[in-house]
Amino acid sequence: MTKSKKLTGAEIFLECLKEESVDTIFGFPGGAVLPIYDALYDSSLKHILVRHEQGAVHMADGYARATGRPGVVLVTSGPGATNTVTGIATAYMDSIPMVVFTGQVPTALIGNDAFQEADIVGITRPCTKHNYLVKDIKDLTRVIKEAFYIATTGRPGPVLVDLPKDVLNASIEYSYPESVELNSYHPTYKGNLRQIKKAMDIILKSKRPVVYAGGGVVLSDAAAALKTFCEKLKLPTTNTLMGLGGFPGTNKLFMGMLGMHGTYAANMAVTNTDCLIAIGSRFDDRVTGKTEEFAQYAKIIHIDIDPTSISKNVKVDVPIVGDVNNVLKELIKLIPSAKGLKEYKANIADWHTQVDKWSSTHKLSYKDSPKGRLKPQYVIEQLYKATNGDAIITTEVGQNQMWAAQFFLYDKPRTYLTSGGLGTMGFGLPAAIGAQVAYPKRTVVDIAGDGSIQMNIQEVATAVQYKLPVKVVILNNIVLGMVRQWQEFFYDKRYSHTCVSVAPDYVKLAEAYGAVGLATGKRDEVASVLKEAMKVKDRPVIMDFRVDPAENVYPMVPAGQPLNKMLLV
Amino acid sequence: MRHTISVLVINEFGVLSRISGLFSGRGFNIESLTVAETVDPKISRMTIVTSGDEAILEQITKQLNKLVSVIKVHDFKGEPHIERELLLIKVTANAETRAEVLRIVDIFRAKVVDVSPRAYTIEITGDEEKVEAFKELLRPFGIKEIVSTGRIAMPRTPKHHK
Ligand SMILES: Cc1ncc(C[n+]2csc(CCOP(=O)(O)OP(=O)(O)O)c2C)c(N)n1
């Protein structure tokens, strides 16, 4: 430890962020955090002033998803803190590393129903990986160090640190702890070698293997290892929504996404496989459909860093607890000397033929009509062309999210940022802003629904303020499309409260904010609108694509049905 | 299936709420829960009696282990261990029944800790089986109130080292 002069809690806070190599924080001020905001006045730390605290959290989340580094949020006590809850829960469900700092009333007032007091530690206990209330300035540096450590190690997740105002005002000699001592927290990184060998054995004895890879691949930066592994063993591969980009979307072995809106090939392959290799995925109900019939003929191998994910929903045969990247590298090492490799490759030839057949007979498609209404899928295909596939895509929630998953191909990890676990409408725009802050030169596009975009539309002002050229593609179908789709299929077309046709003129709205607004409902104008939007480099662009309100997402496996019971176009 | 689980946790504020929140949030059952400091004042032990099938118990143990405040989780299932709980039982005891109640108290090595003209308050410690049998025998006299500590447990020390 290096000792130095006395600093206030607020100053120490900023020093700690420097130690943690934080370059940007997303925040919104208020009484309880005024000491920090005052210290920020002289600091070189980049602070993005948001328009709503939920926006700050999604921005930090987008920043973290795009970079792999923890997102950092700073808000005030009471309403500032409670406004972060949806964002924190979103990050928690998708295992996103993040540290949220909330102001708190002075320690002497805690529990007194003081002005702007909220028990944010109590409120966020079930939706954070861990959280802290710092009651004594002596604990401040240790807690911040632990918070970053916990957020970024093991299965990542959000950590909240509640900072009472008197702690921020107190002063103490500053020194940053060099290491973390937590005797109750030891994530497992290395997989058990015996289990890894057993897994390899089962794979090589299989005739119909499938890889089902999830967000864990992206989180552990294992995309390269996954590609090598799958290519060496010629494994047909599918991604979950969270896994998209973890395996190249244009690779021959890629079958597309699986699950409720997965491709025909992926869902059929998973239904018929005799060896399912689940990698960094968690058998979510939107993926498995009816669990009893999910991969029912398969021996299941499951690699995940979180033991609670294993055998939670579906019983697995070979659990391997460890970091996905580590375990994949171990598996790859075993390949050259593996017994039966040749026979294996001969044995799986028929399976490849079968998978190819499924892929070609039921490609992802939609009924395009050059004369009729503009189709949302067409807009996404055009976006893919306009960006050469080289963009960071964020999404809102609903049909827009699914079409973005289906009709844009993600070749690289950290390029499809979506709220998969919680399904938070309003995520996409702030997440795009966060990603754009991290990568000012890259193309960042929020694929949005007209319902969702309204949920955090205020952040357009943030993007304008910081000259962030985020692109928003609104697939404007004047309905809460995904809910409308369920009403059409399962509620006898009783469209109860899903029409949102009373909406702002998005072109005018964009202009009112100081952004660029473009709109079209014509197929042959889509490419030119996108082209024009891509030229804008100094402010956000909102594109209003008026698309067919009757369009549905296919394939669809009705909730609770087995994956091979798909409704097709 | 009933299980007694011992959980070593860091002795800090909010830790009880983390544990109980995990149980309620995931729909796990708590039949009883006791908490107290261990020999190391920085560490507390919680003894939780819960029930569920094998898969649920596996989840409970794993989820508990995942909490940052939890140091160690131990399920006593299938392992020699000692369990105890302490109960205070208030039972009707009038002139006619008093002698009989006292005889039962005696047999079970329980203790009368408070006496009034119409009732005895009895203290008993023991494992579940003993305590249940005791309650059964007292029931006909009229049990007015029961307060229990919940169960605590400790593994037996192996008698022979291999
Ligand atoms: C915050 C929040 N509220 C409600 C929902 C439920 N929900 C899921 S999809 C959806 C419709 C979204 O409509 P829109 O943004 O227009 O997208 P579309 O499905 O039309 O593409 C709703 C309301 C949700 N996911 N998030």
Side-chain angles (χ1 to χ4, degrees), chain A residues 62-125:
Chain A
Y63 176 97
R65 288 182 206 237
T67 62
R69 299 198 299 273
V72 181
V73 175
L74 173 64
V75 299
T76 192
S77 67
T82 54
N83 270 348
T84 65
V85 173
T86 300
I88 295 174
T90 303
Y92 183 66
M93 285 292 271
D94 291 343
S95 311
I96 303 305
M98 172 188 294
V99 184
V100 177
F101 294 95
T102 50
Q104 183 54 280
V105 301
T107 45
L109 291 182
I110 291 178
N112 283 12
D113 300 322
F115 176 64
Q116 293 195 328
E117 178 183 1
D119 174 15
I120 197 65
V121 169
I123 290 170
T124 59
R125 217 168 261 140

Side-chain angles (χ1 to χ4, degrees), chain B residues 53-143:
Chain B
D53 60 22
E54 214 178 295
I56 290 178
L57 258 295
E58 184 181 327
Q59 267 300 308
I60 292 178
T61 338
K62 284 174 168 177
Q63 293 286 356
L64 283 169
N65 261 313
K66 188 169 155 181
L67 293 179
V68 174
S69 314
V70 169
I71 301 166
K72 198 165 173 228
V73 181
H74 185 87
D75 186 344
F76 286 105
K77 178 94 203 304
E79 167 195 343
H81 66 282
I82 309 154
E83 284 190 2
R84 289 291 179 272
E85 63 188 306
L86 185 149
L87 273 73
L88 294 175
I89 304 177
K90 191 175 282 178
V91 64
T92 312
N94 50 39
E96 281 155 50
T97 58
R98 211 161 265 187
E100 185 57 19
V101 170
L102 280 179
R103 242 167 46 85
I104 297 169
V105 166
D106 220 33
I107 293 167
F108 279 82
R109 288 193 233 156
K111 234 184 347 191
V112 176
V113 290
D114 189 36
V115 182
S116 77
R118 259 171 270 135
Y120 280 163
T121 302
I122 302 161
E123 171 192 321
I124 180 166
T125 61
D127 58 14
E128 188 182 11
E129 214 179 322
K130 174 180 170 186
V131 168
E132 282 306 313
F134 187 64
K135 281 198 285 193
E136 258 340 282
L137 288 175
L138 289 187
R139 195 149 286 142
F141 301 99
I143 293 176

Side-chain angles (χ1 to χ4, degrees), chain A residues 482-498:
Chain A
M482 187 56 92
V483 181
R484 193 213 69 94
Q485 177 170 342
W486 283 56
Q487 289 172 334
E488 178 183 335
F489 290 3
F490 313 119
Y491 290 88
D492 222 6
K493 303 192 178 174
R494 289 156 54 84
Y495 297 121
S496 178
H497 300 280
T498 40

Side-chain angles (χ1 to χ4, degrees), chain A residues 397-400 423-425 449-452 455 477 479-483:
Chain A
V397 171
Q399 295 178 317
N400 58 85
T424 306
M425 290 169 69
D450 51 308
S452 302
M455 285 212 177
N477 54 7
V479 286
L480 302 174
M482 187 56 92
V483 181

Side-chain angles (χ1 to χ4, degrees), chain A residues 134-270:
Chain A
V134 181
K135 285 208 222 162
D136 188 328
I137 189 168
K138 287 209 276 302
D139 299 327
L140 184 59
T141 54
R142 175 186 58 82
V143 166
I144 295 178
K145 178 101 187 164
E146 285 180 11
F148 278 92
Y149 180 71
I150 292 170
T152 54
T153 53
R155 178 176 178 173
V159 176
L160 180 137
V161 181
D162 203 16
L163 301 167
K165 193 170 185 181
D166 56 325
V167 171
L168 296 174
N169 282 328
S171 32
I172 194 170
E173 234 160 59
Y174 167 72
S175 69
Y176 201 60
E178 267 151 35
S179 60
V180 169
E181 283 160 45
L182 274 168
N183 62 356
S184 57
Y185 175 75
H186 309 282
T188 310
Y189 285 96
K190 258 178 70 91
N192 179 308
L193 206 55
R194 207 177 317 140
Q195 292 290 90
I196 293 176
K197 285 188 176 142
K198 203 162 141 194
M200 186 55 97
D201 250 22
I202 290 179
I203 297 169
L204 291 182
K205 289 206 181 90
S206 72
K207 296 193 172 65
R208 303 188 304 278
V210 164
V211 165
Y212 141 51
V217 171
V218 177
L219 291 167
S220 82
D221 290 319
L226 179 67
K227 181 161 177 272
T228 308
F229 173 70
C230 295
E231 284 184 336
K232 289 206 172 197
L233 292 177
K234 304 236 173 311
L235 294 162
T237 300
T238 176
N239 272 148
T240 66
L241 186 75
M242 293 305 297
L244 292 175
F247 191 78
T250 53
N251 192 292
K252 276 207 311 288
L253 291 166
F254 190 57
M255 301 181 288
M257 181 170 76
L258 84 164
M260 182 173 275
H261 295 296
T263 63
Y264 183 77
N267 285 345
M268 290 306 283
V270 168

